[in-house]
Amino acid sequence: MTDETGIDVYLGLDVGKGDHHATAVSRAGKKVFDKPLPNSEPKLRELFDKLRAKHGTVLMVVDQPASIGALPLAVARDAGCQVAYLPGLTMRRIAELYPGEAKTDARDAFIIADAARAMPHTLRTIDPADETVAELAMIAGFDDDLAGESTRIANRLRGLLTQIHPSLERVLGPRIQHPAVLRLLDQFGSPAQIRKAGRRRLVTL
């Protein structure tokens, strides 16, 4: 995002689960707001409306566009503010240019706002389609994690079966994730118990 035409105030939001820290700076770099902000729609909307009424066009910038940053973005857009985000790696590099090393919410919020004012080329736009893609990526990533964990558990079971009874592993191993096979192992537990159960009980189960 490189076009800052028409922006009157730059609002940096260091987002948090319960509270954010909001710092707004004017085009001249003067702080016009610098306070903690509860993570609630009414409080967010109140701030956005106040800044727009007093200063004009507001650009709100966050360092996390997904998860805990989703509500401020949605409310800001609905309130008529422009929105963007400053990637985390870029922010860390920019932070090195500012005095002081202590990492605080207030300092981070100011850096986000001032970077938006002085270095608009570092910002990234946020389109509704981008948010949808991010949400889908998160869901798909969760599914991938579950699939990976399922595969690891199946491989461990096959490894144990190979140690105990290689012949049984050759029969059950390829079907180890089938509910019937898992139930059989859970019910009888060992090759000896499976043999003792007999064909009829196994088929019934």
Side-chain angles (χ1 to χ4, degrees), residues 42-109:
K43 292 296 184 182
L44 289 165
R45 190 176 296 276
E46 180 183 345
L47 174 61
F48 300 149
D49 291 344
K50 181 179 178 181
L51 290 174
R52 290 186 67 227
K54 188 173 182 180
H55 300 283
T57 304
V58 176
L59 171 63
M60 192 205 71
V61 185
V62 295
D63 57 345
Q64 294 186 52
S67 62
I68 56 178
L71 178 61
L73 287 171
V75 177
R77 187 180 282 117
D78 188 62
C81 300
Q82 296 188 32
V83 296
Y85 84 98
L86 182 66
L89 179 59
T90 302
M91 180 183 166
R92 287 194 292 273
R93 290 174 176 171
I94 293 174
E96 296 175 358
L97 304 175
Y98 288 77
E101 297 182 358
K103 186 184 186 308
T104 65
D105 295 344
R107 182 174 185 267
D108 287 350

Side-chain angles (χ1 to χ4, degrees), residues 20-41:
H20 313 303
H21 194 96
T23 301
V25 297
S26 66
R27 292 182 65 86
K30 179 183 177 182
K31 287 185 183 180
V32 296
F33 187 89
D34 186 23
K35 293 180 181 179
L37 182 66
N39 186 24
S40 71
E41 180 177 349

Side-chain angles (χ1 to χ4, degrees), residues 148-169:
E149 185 65 22
S150 177
T151 300
R152 283 190 290 272
I153 293 172
N155 289 337
R156 287 182 61 191
L157 287 173
R158 294 191 68 171
L160 289 170
L161 281 175
T162 300
Q163 294 175 34
I164 298 168
H165 201 301
S167 297
L168 184 63
E169 194 282 327

Side-chain angles (χ1 to χ4, degrees), residues 1-10 26-27 57 59 82 113-121 123:
M1 179 176 178
T2 57
D3 186 11
E4 57 170 337
T5 305
I7 303 299
D8 298 300
V9 65
Y10 302 83
S26 66
R27 292 182 65 86
T57 304
L59 171 63
Q82 296 188 32
D114 202 49
R117 179 189 68 85
M119 294 174 277
H121 63 279
L123 304 181

Side-chain angles (χ1 to χ4, degrees), residues 17 22 64 104 124 143-144 190 200:
K17 290 182 180 179
Q64 294 186 52
T104 65
R124 300 292 180 268
D143 287 346
D144 288 343
S190 71
R200 179 176 295 178

